[in-house]
Amino acid sequence: MNRIDRLLAIAISLQSRKYTLAETLSERFGTSIRTVYRDLKALDEIGIPIGFEPNRGYYVMQGYFLPPVTFSSEEANALVLVESIVERFTDKSISKHYRSALNKVKSILKNSQKERVEHLENRLFTSVSCPNHNFDYLSEIQNSITNQTILQIKYQNVNQETSVREIEPIGIIFYSMAWHVIGWCWYRLEYRDFKVSWIQKLINTQETFRKSPHQDLNTFIKLQEMRMALT
């Protein structure tokens, strides 16, 4: 990657997150920390306002927007490939939003790129799919996580017992060919793993989390792995 392409990629990366560490940029673009600092200075000199907060990282000042992004044929092809996976391994809500986002990407492609993308779309197929994913909860679960709002769910466990729970989700995991939401359960007063396909009804109450602070998802996973190793 030449320097001009790298500078644009760094600017896009900064604008895609609230804060980004110099070490993260160094690892992502395969450069030294010193080169990252020079690149950030260059961006600032050409008029892209770069800010910095100690212990958080760099960011593009609020109110500044980069010109519309263009996509290479390879990037467009990658998104098309992922679409076939999304259709079979997520749920109806995510599939709908992904198709909408992909259509926006396609709308700004050159005509020659659109032809290649259509050619590729007709030649992609995945023979396996995620069983029992005929639900549309994942998008609302994502909203709950990002906005820190409580979910009310009607849940049927492995013993076919049904209960109504209020949960504060901390993350989503995909394993054993199924989606799981991890959250604090006010019914059990502990963090629990809920299989999304076993949720019979889901309502985002819009009520703010009552528990604080929450355990992060990585900590939950590590603790679960430790418990499994001890059994």
Side-chain angles (χ1 to χ4, degrees):
M1 180 184 290
N2 61 49
R3 193 182 187 212
I4 293 176
D5 289 341
R6 188 174 71 245
L7 288 175
L8 177 59
I10 289 174
I12 292 171
S13 182
L14 287 174
Q15 199 164 41
S16 68
R17 298 179 63 85
K18 191 170 183 179
Y19 300 102
T20 305
L21 295 171
E23 290 79 5
T24 301
L25 294 172
S26 172
E27 182 178 347
R28 184 173 301 166
F29 296 104
T31 63
S32 66
I33 295 291
R34 188 174 179 180
T35 298
V36 169
Y37 292 148
R38 285 201 299 264
D39 288 344
L40 292 170
K41 183 180 179 181
L43 288 173
D44 192 61
E45 288 174 347
I46 63 175
I48 299 177
I50 306 294
F52 175 76
E53 284 196 23
N55 302 319
R56 289 190 171 186
Y58 292 89
Y59 61 95
V60 175
M61 297 285 195
Q62 189 171 357
Y64 178 84
F65 296 96
L66 290 169
V69 176
T70 58
F71 292 85
S72 68
S73 295
E74 290 77 13
E75 289 169 334
N77 287 345
L79 293 172
V80 169
L81 179 63
V82 171
E83 182 184 24
S84 65
I85 299 172
V86 169
E87 291 285 349
R88 288 166 172 76
F89 286 89
T90 61
D91 72 348
K92 292 184 289 185
S93 66
I94 298 299
S95 295
K96 177 182 70 176
H97 293 313
Y98 188 87
R99 283 195 302 270
S100 175
L102 185 57
N103 283 335
K104 291 177 182 178
V105 171
K106 291 176 182 177
S107 71
I108 63 173
L109 295 177
K110 298 176 183 177
N111 286 336
S112 60
Q113 290 177 310
K114 290 176 182 177
E115 290 176 1
R116 295 191 190 102
V117 164
E118 290 173 4
H119 181 80
L120 179 62
E121 283 179 323
N122 295 327
R123 286 157 178 79
L124 288 176
F125 178 75
T126 53
S127 60
V128 295
S129 63
C130 177
N132 303 319
H133 72 309
N134 189 31
F135 48 84
D136 56 358
Y137 300 140
L138 288 177
S139 182
E140 198 57 63
I141 292 170
Q142 288 178 320
N143 289 335
S144 170
I145 293 170
T146 55
N147 296 318
Q148 298 187 344
T149 53
I150 296 171
L151 292 176
Q152 183 185 88
I153 62 172
K154 183 179 180 182
Y155 190 73
Q156 186 177 70
N157 65 19
V158 68
N159 297 319
Q160 307 298 308
E161 300 166 337
T162 302
S163 61
V164 176
R165 316 280 187 100
E166 282 192 339
I167 65 171
E168 300 185 7
I170 61 171
I172 306 171
I173 306 175
F174 183 82
Y175 69 89
S176 300
M177 296 296 290
W179 289 98
H180 298 250
V181 55
I182 310 300
W184 175 264
C185 175
W186 283 105
Y187 181 74
R188 297 294 185 186
L189 296 180
E190 62 180 346
Y191 291 102
R192 301 295 289 249
D193 179 333
F194 299 96
K195 193 171 182 179
V196 177
S197 62
W198 291 356
I199 296 176
Q200 298 182 336
K201 185 177 181 180
L202 181 146
I203 299 172
N204 190 333
T205 68
Q206 305 300 331
E207 296 177 18
T208 304
F209 284 0
R210 299 194 296 267
K211 177 178 170 58
S212 181
H214 267 297
Q215 185 179 100
D216 65 68
L217 184 62
N218 288 331
T219 301
F220 174 86
I221 294 171
K222 289 176 182 177
L223 289 173
Q224 290 297 103
E225 290 174 344
M226 288 173 61
R227 291 191 186 102
M228 291 178 64
L230 292 173
T231 57

